[in-house]
Amino acid sequence: MSAICGVVGPAAAGRVERMLAAVDYRGDRSDVVSGRGATLGFRGWAGRPGKAQGVHTSEEGTLVAVAGTLAPPAADPCVELDGRIRSADWAGLDGAFAAARWDGVELTLLRDPFGVRPLYWAQVGDTLWFASELKQLAQVPELAWDVALETIHAWLTFSFVPGATTPIRGVNRLLPGARLRFRDGRVEIDRWFELREDVSSMLADQEHAVRAVRTTAKAAVARRLNGEAEVGVFLSGGLDSSAVAAWLHKLGQPVHALSLDFGDASVEREQAAAVASALGIRHTWVPADGARVGASLDALVWLLDLPFGDAVTGPQLLLARAARDLGVRAVFNGEGGDQLFGGWTSKPMVAAALYGADEGDEEEEYLRSYHRFYGMEDELYTPALAEAVGGRLRRRELLRPYLGDDKTSFYLNRVRLADLSLKGCQNILPRAERITNGVGLDMRVPLFDRELAELSFRIPPSLKLHGACEKYVLKLAVQGRLPDDVVWRRKFGMSVPVTDWIFGPRGGSGRGPLYDRVADALSAESARRRGWFRPEYLQRLLQGQEAAGETRRRRLGEKVWALTMLELWARRFLDQGRP
């Protein structure tokens, strides 16, 4: 619910004020302080405990700005992080924060372990700019605002922006757990936090492992409470969000659960209702349909800041608005369980490794697991885009620090590191943070907790993916505290009926409430103007023609939605000049 920005180098305070104004939805007050060759800015909500309330100036003249909170909360996050950065004390440091510190000689930028809070930077000559959002850096006229097509190339595989680059050339993202130091015109980046496999023989004992998960997860939830009278929880009916709700209830925290209602297309409606009833917590259903999502598309593109291609973002915005309208200020979610405890996405990867995959095929299998446009370049790309992005192997370089990590002995753990670092920290967390913070909510993600994550990499893989049973140790940890149908049923995930919203129900008219909007975004005229994609391929998608061999109708809608969101992002952030 807050943002920072600033510059090291000559710049008027008015420039930083404009950067803060670009994210006015992140607070009701701003603070801009200049000193000794730098200007730092902060925007946030007044009167919310545990959060920075402006740019902090020490007696020595050091400037510190912090967006977000520490876990457990600190009375003054600026003072806490000032001391930590100065002494390079990272022991136990956790939370959802992005911080900047200027001591008159060196700028330090710091991002939390899992990247809950965003942080971007760009260097122009000897001047360095930084900001919480991309649109803030658009206020810097010295910065060229040109599209980086190689990043679009990677986006088409993942449907989110992976790695340290962004779609704007010259604008970089500080990765989770990273530290940037800028001094005398030079940038140095290192890691202050990194997960490592450290399997413990003690945790091979099932009873001991279950007890450790239960205790640590409950503590992770407690560390993210800040004296709220009531908090919200986004309850899908799946295991992870239900477990978070149960731990909140166990801690005696008043909770208001909110669940998406997709009508006849709902997947885990009965399970969500059963959890709320079993825990005795308030429960609100939030209607989510194509018309409501379509009416929110422009606001969604603006708040997301980067292009995110997962159709869940539309319903998530409806959910966040409903929580805000109910008077909730902080919401918990269950994101992270799959990445930490061997969720359903790990099974096909492990099977591929065990049953006949050739060396190097693990990367191929992983890239295809995103079910977007990997391997479809000849069908989708125009010759101009294909020439601009060059070779196809660059996407694999994003995987090699994880799937190719020779310090991680278990293959399941290498897959989980990739899932956590890419899907989790560069997709799930940033899109959820932008949506919730964009409507004035504080997002809490207790499963993305440093101590809990470190514990998960000490537990043997056999207690996570136990035969065909995923997240086995987590299920044992909540067994008896939640209905058995929630704990032990196979994972379905949030199935957003986006194909029906675009094309109508199967056997229907072929036109849903989103069709006109996507047809405009992916029209032949739009494609020729953009110059990235072959119009004939887009027209096949708009005619509802699924790819050869694709048996899941929902994949068609997911691809159309992803390309639509990319085009709408380009219109807002590229075509309209600086946003």
Side-chain angles (χ1 to χ4, degrees), residues 11 60 70 89 92 115 142 154 165 176 207 234 244 254 314 329 355 380 487 522 529:
E60 298 81 16
L70 302 181
D89 176 15
E142 296 88 347
T165 61
E207 184 177 345
F234 291 158
V244 170
R329 285 187 173 182
Y355 302 110
L380 177 61
V487 176
L522 305 185
R529 184 172 59 248

Side-chain angles (χ1 to χ4, degrees), residues 178-196:
R179 174 182 59 169
L180 178 149
R181 289 178 290 179
F182 179 69
R183 183 170 183 157
D184 297 329
R186 294 190 301 274
V187 170
E188 294 182 2
I189 298 175
D190 60 7
R191 299 293 299 271
W192 68 269
F193 172 80
E194 196 166 11
L195 274 175
R196 286 294 181 190

Side-chain angles (χ1 to χ4, degrees), residues 1-2 9 81 99 136 147 180 183 193 200 257 271 303 375 504 552:
M1 288 187 302
S2 53
L81 281 173
Q136 292 176 277
V147 65
L180 178 149
R183 183 170 183 157
F193 172 80
S200 166
Q271 286 72 26
L303 291 179
R552 300 185 184 185

Side-chain angles (χ1 to χ4, degrees), residues 17-309:
E17 290 171 355
R18 287 195 292 275
M19 294 171 72
L20 294 174
V23 290
D24 56 357
Y25 48 78
R26 284 186 177 262
D28 57 7
R29 62 179 299 270
S30 294
D31 186 23
V32 176
V33 178
S34 298
R36 297 189 290 175
T39 301
L40 271 59
F42 167 87
R43 187 169 185 91
W45 296 93
R48 297 199 177 180
K51 293 184 172 295
Q53 295 301 311
V55 179
H56 174 77
T57 306
S58 72
E59 293 181 359
E60 298 81 16
T62 296
L63 305 181
V64 181
V66 178
T69 55
L70 302 181
D76 190 333
C78 288
V79 173
E80 176 78 11
L81 281 173
D82 183 21
R84 293 289 194 113
I85 294 172
R86 183 177 63 252
S87 61
D89 176 15
W90 317 124
L93 183 61
D94 198 9
F97 60 85
R101 179 181 186 271
W102 170 249
D103 62 8
V105 177
E106 182 174 88
L107 173 73
T108 302
L109 301 180
L110 201 69
R111 197 167 176 211
D112 65 67
F114 301 104
V116 182
R117 290 286 183 161
L119 194 57
Y120 301 96
W121 64 275
Q123 185 174 359
V124 182
D126 290 335
T127 300
L128 188 131
W129 299 84
F130 67 90
S132 291
E133 291 201 28
L134 189 66
K135 60 178 70 76
Q136 292 176 277
L137 289 175
Q139 311 307 312
V140 181
E142 296 88 347
L143 183 64
W145 203 252
D146 300 323
V147 65
L149 289 177
E150 62 274 16
T151 301
I152 301 299
H153 172 55
W155 186 95
L156 289 161
T157 289
F158 297 97
S159 81
F160 59 86
V161 176
T165 61
T166 75
I168 303 300
R169 192 172 306 283
V171 176
N172 305 283
R173 176 170 51 181
L174 191 63
L175 291 177
R179 174 182 59 169
L180 178 149
R181 289 178 290 179
F182 179 69
R183 183 170 183 157
D184 297 329
R186 294 190 301 274
V187 170
E188 294 182 2
I189 298 175
D190 60 7
R191 299 293 299 271
W192 68 269
F193 172 80
E194 196 166 11
L195 274 175
R196 286 294 181 190
E197 176 187 82
D198 185 21
V199 175
S200 166
S201 58
M202 290 182 60
L203 290 170
D205 177 78
Q206 179 173 295
E207 184 177 345
H208 183 75
V210 169
R211 187 166 54 250
V213 168
R214 186 179 296 145
T215 300
T216 307
K218 180 181 172 183
V221 173
R223 282 191 286 272
R224 284 157 178 81
L225 290 171
N226 198 17
E228 292 88 359
E230 182 181 57
V231 298
V233 61
F234 291 158
L235 182 64
S236 69
L239 175 67
D240 303 337
S241 63
S242 299
V244 170
W247 285 314
L248 284 166
H249 182 258
K250 184 72 173 177
L251 289 164
Q253 174 68 47
V255 181
H256 193 149
L258 297 97
S259 302
L260 287 165
D261 183 0
F262 294 112
D264 293 340
S266 298
V267 173
E268 295 179 314
R269 181 184 176 92
E270 293 80 7
Q271 286 72 26
V275 169
S277 176
L279 298 178
I281 59 178
R282 289 206 296 162
H283 190 204
T284 294
W285 289 101
V286 179
D289 55 49
R292 287 183 173 89
V293 169
S296 301
L297 269 181
D298 291 330
L300 179 64
V301 170
W302 178 247
L303 291 179
L304 284 173
D305 202 46
L306 289 175
F308 288 91

